[in-house]
Amino acid sequence: MLKLYHNPISFNSRRVWIALLEKELEFELVEIKLDGDQLQPEFLAKNPFHHIPVLEDDDFTIVESLAILDYLEAKYPKPTFIPTDARAIATMRMVEMVTVNELLPAMTPLINRVMGFPGSNSPEKLEQAKQKAATVFRFLEDILGNDLYLVNRQFTLADIVAGTVVPLFPSLGFPLIYYPKLSSWAERLMQRPSWQTTQASPEAIEAFKARFKGQ
């Protein structure tokens, strides 16, 4: 059976969790607490980089969320979340990589401020983060156009990857009012059962804040 090592507040874990639910696969969830579980020898044997998520499929172990998503698509192709058209594939990959490489780094200072972590970023860094996020949102708004989903009206990995990050920005003090198409897209995704099932509870968020404030 598939086994996902995850944490409920992890964006990287959540995108894999959503894919598993959307494909209606049977799997076991194993929560890794980020205050030390990831550094235990048993987990390091699975992922020496001590990151989540990790997916086990019997005797095969996969690390890195995007690689896991590709594995699930190749092994469990129905329903498919990867388009076949060359331009559509390129668009999907662009969205995935822009989310990981541009949007998530911009999100970090905003999270630090909201969480009240010690040494939260300066106003200058916060403004830079907001500007970077705005650039990504304009990029995604243009890609989305008037479609329901980001790629050719088809629900794809682009929606899963970006959709676990973009909808969180309003709670970080960055509303999506200037990006109405993107805002509507985010609201539609949040109505899907897979998004609702994987939404981190307030208790999980508070426990995370308490652990890291105490360090």
Side-chain angles (χ1 to χ4, degrees), residues 105-106 109-110 119-131:
L110 303 177
S120 293
N121 300 83
S122 67
E124 292 79 11
K125 288 186 177 179
L126 288 171
E127 184 58 32
Q128 290 173 2
K130 289 181 179 181
Q131 290 178 4

Side-chain angles (χ1 to χ4, degrees), residues 48-123:
F49 309 109
H50 55 79
H51 297 154
I52 51 173
V54 172
L55 184 74
E56 286 183 340
D57 188 1
D58 294 329
D59 61 347
F60 186 55
T61 301
I62 315 107
V63 303
E64 298 294 341
S65 62
L66 298 186
I68 295 172
L69 293 178
D70 284 345
Y71 176 80
L72 292 174
E73 279 300 308
K75 186 165 183 181
Y76 307 99
K78 293 183 180 181
T80 181
F81 301 143
I82 295 182
T84 56
D85 175 75
R87 292 189 179 188
I89 292 173
T91 300
M92 183 192 74
R93 294 297 186 210
M94 283 194 297
V95 171
E96 287 182 301
M97 300 313 298
V98 166
T99 299
V100 171
N101 295 330
E102 304 294 338
L103 191 56
L104 276 176
M107 193 179 195
T108 301
L110 303 177
I111 293 175
N112 290 343
R113 180 190 61 180
V114 170
M115 292 289 194
F117 288 162
S120 293
N121 300 83
S122 67

Side-chain angles (χ1 to χ4, degrees), residues 10-27:
S10 166
F11 314 118
N12 295 333
S13 294
R14 190 183 183 194
R15 64 178 68 123
V16 175
W17 191 0
I18 285 175
L20 289 165
L21 292 172
E22 290 283 346
K23 286 183 174 292
E24 299 184 348
L25 298 172
E26 291 187 13
F27 62 97

